[in-house]
Amino acid sequence: MQYKLTTPVAKEDLAPLRAGDTVLLSGTVYTARDAAHKRMMELLDAGEALPFPVEGSAVYYVGPTPERPGPTTSGRMDAYSPRLLDLGQAIMIGKGARNQAVKEAVVRSGAVYLAALGGAGALMAASVEELEVICWEDLGCEAVRRLTVRDLPLTVILDAHGGDLYESGPAAYLSSL
């Protein structure tokens, strides 16, 4: 199935999604990679607010650079993701498998993990209508940005019901042989 979603999203918006579905995402998406996630944890540990509203938010693990456009490997954010999901983050966007703690946090929080096409930066960039650095400019390509996107094409990897396309996809393929 294909779904159209607009951020911020509620759990009810994500409930119908299943691993393998496609999503065209519109609205505000924040970018944050390793260094930004580390700083977000430091803010939370100090009892301070995050630089963007986390409730219902979508965070894309990407650093816009000419050399390597596209998503970064999501596993690098696994140590930080459960905490942000528990605070209300609804959507993670990246590429690659996630650890068990992240999978459990996705189900617990009613969130989803969506995959972006790696190596297709030009295709993904066509969906970006606006881009603004909102904090930590000193991090360069890892600064937190606010993107306004229209119909960003994504695939559901982890759904709120425990579905994991990285498990079900290969299993379905092997059973068809």
Side-chain angles (χ1 to χ4, degrees):
M1 297 277 308
Q2 183 174 72
Y3 295 88
K4 284 189 165 227
L5 294 175
T6 301
T7 61
V9 297
K11 287 182 183 182
E12 297 77 34
D13 300 325
L14 303 177
L17 276 59
R18 297 292 186 268
D21 288 343
T22 57
V23 171
L24 296 175
L25 186 65
S26 296
T28 300
V29 173
Y30 298 96
T31 69
R33 289 179 29 165
D34 319 39
H37 274 76
K38 183 174 186 275
R39 287 196 185 171
M40 287 190 284
M41 295 304 114
E42 291 167 356
L43 286 176
L44 291 171
D45 289 344
E48 297 178 35
L50 293 178
F52 59 87
V54 71
E55 187 70 33
S57 68
V59 176
Y60 189 3
Y61 308 140
V62 66
T65 63
E67 296 83 21
R68 295 174 49 153
T72 193
T73 303
S74 301
R76 293 166 40 189
M77 268 55 71
D78 281 0
Y80 313 113
S81 296
R83 188 172 183 186
L84 294 172
L85 292 168
D86 289 341
L87 289 172
Q89 181 183 337
I91 298 172
M92 301 172 290
I93 304 169
K95 65 180 183 183
R98 306 306 297 272
N99 71 21
Q100 189 61 35
V102 173
K103 292 179 186 183
E104 290 168 5
V106 164
V107 172
R108 180 174 64 243
S109 64
V112 293
Y113 169 49
L114 306 176
L117 289 172
L123 171 67
M124 304 304 282
S127 295
V128 178
E129 297 179 332
E130 205 173 310
L131 177 145
E132 172 189 12
V133 174
I134 61 169
C135 69
W136 303 320
E137 198 164 343
D138 64 298
L139 294 179
C141 71
E142 292 201 33
V144 175
R145 290 169 170 77
R146 178 176 31 244
L147 306 179
T148 302
V149 299
R150 180 179 310 278
D151 293 337
L152 184 67
L154 304 162
T155 302
V156 179
I157 300 297
L158 300 178
D159 65 41
H161 311 282
D164 181 345
L165 188 60
Y166 287 133
E167 293 175 4
S168 62
Y173 172 76
L174 291 173
S175 70
S176 71
L177 296 179

